[in-house]
Amino acid sequence: MDQQEILAGFSPERANLLPLLHALQDNHPQNYLTGESLNAVARHLKVNLSWVYGVAGYYSMFSLKPRGRYVIRVCNSPVCNMLGSSGIIEALSGILGIGKGETTPDGLFTVEEAECLGICDLAPAMMVNRTVYGNLTKESLKEIIDELRIIKKGQK
Amino acid sequence: MIKEKRLILKNSGVIDPLSIKDYIDSGGYKALSKALTGTPEKVVEEVMSSGLRGRGGAGFPTGVKEQTTAGKKEGKISYVVCNADEGEPGTFKDRVIMESDPHLLVEGMILAAYGIGAEKGYIYIRGEYYDSIAKLKNAIRQAYESGYLGSNILGSGFTFDLEIKPGAGSYLCGEELTLLESLEGKRGYPRIKPPFPAEKGLWGKPTLVNNVETLANLPGIIGQGSEWYRSSGTDRTPGTKVFSICGDVKKPGCYEVDAGVILNDLINDLAGGTINGQPWKAVLLGGAAGTFVPFSFSDLSLCYERLKERGATLGSGAVIVIGSDRKLIPLMQSILRFFRHESCGKCVPCRLGTTFIYESSIRLGEADHDARILIVEEIVNHSREMAKSSLCPLGQSPVLPLGTLQIHFTETIASE
């Protein structure tokens, strides 16, 4: 969707700042907020760019840097951590050859460490874009990544 | 063997959460029709006499909150805000309610709005809960189409509009005043309290902020009466509680039971007991900002009054079970790392304090027995200072798990 179309879907009130940032980020193939989109939001809501930048930089779901098509957020909060999330992050780094906060050279995957995702009954767990994966093991992890590599287009 | 008692989760897994017809067929929106034939005061009175206490963690009487908010209104605008920013580690009950019975929350919000005379409401929901957001959006659309939302609801003359606003991954926004800041399109920084939201909430107007589970109790209370509601739970914690049990248990998940349930019954009868079959080492009640209890507390009755007597909290209803073969130091470090990460940085005691106590906990690994006792003491003392001087509940929280770790597990930690 065109950026202008997205902006037009939100009335110009400040309470729409977070929803707007979500919509613009979700719309970008690299899952991030460009400088240009922050400017457009500031103009649309008639607030300073610094305000928009300050908000976008505060919340962990927003990224100001390009990310992969699939953003993998591994939960590392106390419950997942107790049930082995550190091993999952390590295994993921091994499979993809990247560390936390990095993106694979083909632009397909970004690995992030997340705080509690609210799926503790499935710990250790992670989210890939909007999809939840739980009860992770090193084996299931490999299968998930292989599958995503095949789908490539994927659902967002 | 205890069994679940499902008042809030009665439709969960039974009806199609995308169908308003299913909800209505199971008795849904009857409480709203009933409420609209009476006065708003009647709704507040009913909630008041039900003894319902906030299910988000603080346990404040919901009726009192409603009455205060309604009293501040004086013809001005007021709001109802649902706190669906469930971020406390170990807690996932609100997600289950929203995913499996979204109309229950919508009806609860309309009832609360009618009670306090609010014409606008928001559900502030954590951004990661994509499924809950989709289900609620669908439910709200259906409620508008059926005349339960919008102007002149069911011909009563009462008007209420409801909107969803997603959060974006900040634990702190689950704190009510920070949530309101975020709703207003700002960084998630806490406000100084008082004034409370009932007085100066969203855009400075009187605002009722309630947790998902709290609001989900209203259709039952209004529909079947406060006396019926009081037949569940205990005298001072009436009703049921949805516990989210996770960690080293065979069947982690959400279980709804009478408030006052015995801790070990909950773990053994409903969650299938511990994975290794041995008695558990510890339970962390209420999430990262909760309290640790040792196995000698297995007969603990989970209601506000009994828990308070024994220095524990109910919090959000998270029950994190820690098996006999677990070490507590890594768990403690994980909890402190969490607080360090989520501290917003606005006030100094919390910004520096969360880092200091985390780094101190890292030293525990290499320290010997006696040094560990001293480090634990140092960390607990520091967290006490933080609790006294921090602006919001985040900086005030670490003392809860740390203090109870020290009371019950100092020797365990020292000899791990």
Side-chain angles (χ1 to χ4, degrees), chain A residues 72-75 79-80 83-85 88 117-128 130-145 148, chain B residues 95 252:
Chain A
I72 305 177
R73 303 180 71 201
V74 186
C75 179
V79 178
C80 281
L83 296 177
S85 61
I88 296 299
L117 296 171
I119 35 182
C120 321
D121 46 341
L122 302 177
M126 66 181 191
M127 289 183 84
V128 181
R130 295 184 170 212
T131 312
V132 168
Y133 295 91
N135 296 319
L136 298 171
T137 61
K138 283 169 193 167
E139 294 71 41
S140 70
L141 202 56
K142 183 140 189 352
E143 278 167 32
I144 294 163
I145 299 296
L148 290 172
Chain B
R95 172 175 61 79

Side-chain angles (χ1 to χ4, degrees), chain A residues 10-11 13-22 25-26 45 50-62 73 75-85 100 113-123 127-132 135 156, chain B residues 86-92 95-96 122 124 126-130 163-170 172-173 178 181-189 203 245-248 252-254 275 288 320-323 326 330-331 334-335 337-338 341-342 344:
Chain A
F10 292 88
S11 60
E13 48 185 314
R14 211 175 52 191
N16 276 333
L17 179 49
L18 264 66
L20 251 174
L21 293 175
H22 272 300
Q25 174 167 282
D26 287 350
L45 300 182
S50 61
W51 184 283
V52 178
Y53 183 79
V55 169
Y58 177 85
Y59 294 93
S60 65
M61 284 182 81
F62 298 132
R73 303 180 71 201
C75 179
N76 196 22
S77 276
V79 178
C80 281
N81 185 278
M82 188 168 89
L83 296 177
S85 61
K100 278 183 281 186
E113 186 181 294
E115 293 309 335
C116 189
L117 296 171
I119 35 182
C120 321
D121 46 341
L122 302 177
M127 289 183 84
V128 181
N129 295 350
R130 295 184 170 212
T131 312
V132 168
N135 296 319
K156 263 205 76 170
Chain B
E86 185 174 56
E88 188 63 53
T91 313
F92 46 93
R95 172 175 61 79
V96 170
Y122 295 95
Y124 183 90
R126 58 177 307 186
E128 289 92 347
Y129 279 4
Y130 293 105
E163 235 185 280
I164 293 174
K165 295 282 181 194
S170 160
L172 192 47
C173 290
T178 315
E181 286 284 293
S182 183
L183 250 185
E184 292 179 7
K186 301 180 195 163
R187 288 165 76 95
Y189 280 166
W203 293 297
I245 310 178
C246 56
D248 294 320
C254 277
I275 289 175
I320 304 172
V321 179
I322 297 135
R326 293 270 172 217
L331 178 59
S334 170
I335 291 169
R337 193 191 52 79
F338 173 76
H341 182 266
E342 295 298 337
C344 77

Side-chain angles (χ1 to χ4, degrees), chain B residues 106-355:
Chain B
V106 173
E107 187 178 4
M109 285 202 73
I110 306 169
L111 287 168
Y114 183 65
I116 69 157
E119 293 193 348
K120 175 90 201 184
Y122 295 95
I123 301 175
Y124 183 90
I125 182 167
R126 58 177 307 186
E128 289 92 347
Y129 279 4
Y130 293 105
D131 196 25
S132 300
I133 292 172
K135 298 254 170 64
L136 279 168
K137 273 195 177 152
N138 177 69
I140 289 173
R141 185 181 51 77
Q142 290 175 337
Y144 269 108
E145 285 166 5
S146 306
Y148 297 119
L149 279 173
S151 53
N152 192 20
I153 295 171
L154 302 177
S156 65
F158 171 61
T159 294
F160 181 59
D161 285 301
L162 182 57
E163 235 185 280
I164 293 174
K165 295 282 181 194
S170 160
Y171 169 68
L172 192 47
C173 290
E175 190 277 319
E176 57 182 8
L177 285 168
T178 315
L179 184 153
L180 296 177
E181 286 284 293
S182 183
L183 250 185
E184 292 179 7
K186 301 180 195 163
R187 288 165 76 95
Y189 280 166
R191 292 181 189 167
I192 291 170
K193 210 187 230 180
F196 289 90
E199 211 174 320
K200 273 186 117 180
L202 192 61
W203 293 297
K205 300 286 189 287
T207 304
L208 178 74
V209 186
N210 276 153
N211 168 261
V212 173
E213 189 186 346
T214 312
L215 290 162
N217 268 300
L218 297 193
I221 291 171
I222 302 303
Q224 309 194 53
S226 53
E227 213 160 295
W228 164 83
Y229 188 74
R230 277 191 171 277
S231 68
S232 302
T234 69
D235 194 30
R236 286 171 60 198
T237 314
T240 56
K241 176 79 192 93
V242 183
F243 289 97
S244 47
I245 310 178
C246 56
D248 294 320
V249 287
K250 288 196 183 111
K251 293 191 288 177
C254 277
Y255 299 97
E256 183 180 358
V257 285
D258 271 298
V261 67
I262 302 300
L263 176 58
N264 226 16
D265 290 348
L266 190 63
I267 294 172
N268 290 333
D269 297 354
L270 297 176
T274 57
I275 289 175
N276 66 9
Q278 302 291 316
W280 40 271
K281 181 182 257 182
V283 165
L284 179 52
L285 283 173
T291 47
F292 280 96
V293 297
F295 191 72
S296 59
F297 279 49
S298 59
D299 63 341
L300 193 64
S301 161
L302 301 179
C303 55
Y304 293 107
E305 55 276 26
R306 292 282 100 76
L307 284 161
K308 201 176 167 198
E309 281 167 15
R310 295 180 74 173
T313 54
L314 189 62
S316 55
V319 177
I320 304 172
V321 179
I322 297 135
S324 58
D325 43 5
R326 293 270 172 217
K327 292 201 159 115
L328 292 178
I329 292 176
L331 178 59
M332 178 183 178
Q333 290 166 340
S334 170
I335 291 169
L336 296 180
R337 193 191 52 79
F338 173 76
F339 284 125
R340 183 187 63 163
H341 182 266
E342 295 298 337
S343 173
C344 77
K346 181 173 178 174
C347 75
V348 179
C350 176
R351 182 176 70 222
L352 299 182
T354 49
T355 298

Side-chain angles (χ1 to χ4, degrees), chain B residues 6 26 57 77 114 187 218 242 254 331 357 367 376 379 383 414:
Chain B
R6 293 190 159 209
S26 71
I77 300 167
Y114 183 65
R187 288 165 76 95
L218 297 193
V242 183
C254 277
L331 178 59
I357 55 178
V376 169
I379 294 176
S383 68

